[in-house]
Amino acid sequence: MNKIKLFFEESAFGVCSKLGERLNFPIDSIRLFFIYSSFITLGSPIIVYVSMAMMMKMRKYLRKMNNPVLFD
């Protein structure tokens, strides 16, 4: 069970952890909220999760473009 948890934590986008850091809220509670609300509302929070992940990736990409490394 621990291997499965580590796999999902490494391959996830990091949306829940970033949200937990910003709100000072336990990360596990946020993950459970997304899981339970996805089952109750038939997957609509998945759209929110994916859109937040896309925003994080775009933000990281734009920051990288604004501050290029001299020696790549």
Side-chain angles (χ1 to χ4, degrees):
M1 189 67 164
N2 206 9
K3 288 182 181 181
I4 294 171
K5 183 180 176 183
L6 288 174
F7 171 75
F8 280 113
E9 286 179 355
E10 289 176 359
S11 64
F13 294 109
V15 173
C16 294
S17 60
K18 192 68 151 179
L19 195 61
E21 289 174 3
R22 288 216 170 188
L23 299 176
N24 280 340
F25 206 74
I27 299 167
D28 294 335
S29 298
I30 295 173
R31 287 184 183 138
L32 286 175
F33 169 76
F34 271 111
I35 292 169
Y36 291 149
S37 60
S38 295
F39 283 122
I40 292 171
T41 60
L42 302 175
S44 60
I46 295 173
I47 297 168
V48 174
Y49 185 88
V50 170
S51 63
M52 288 170 52
M54 289 175 59
M55 287 185 343
M56 285 176 54
K57 290 287 185 180
M58 287 297 293
R59 188 174 182 193
K60 187 175 182 180
Y61 176 75
L62 291 174
R63 282 185 179 174
K64 191 174 184 180
M65 293 297 292
N66 287 337
N67 297 323
V69 178
L70 293 177
F71 303 106
D72 257 345

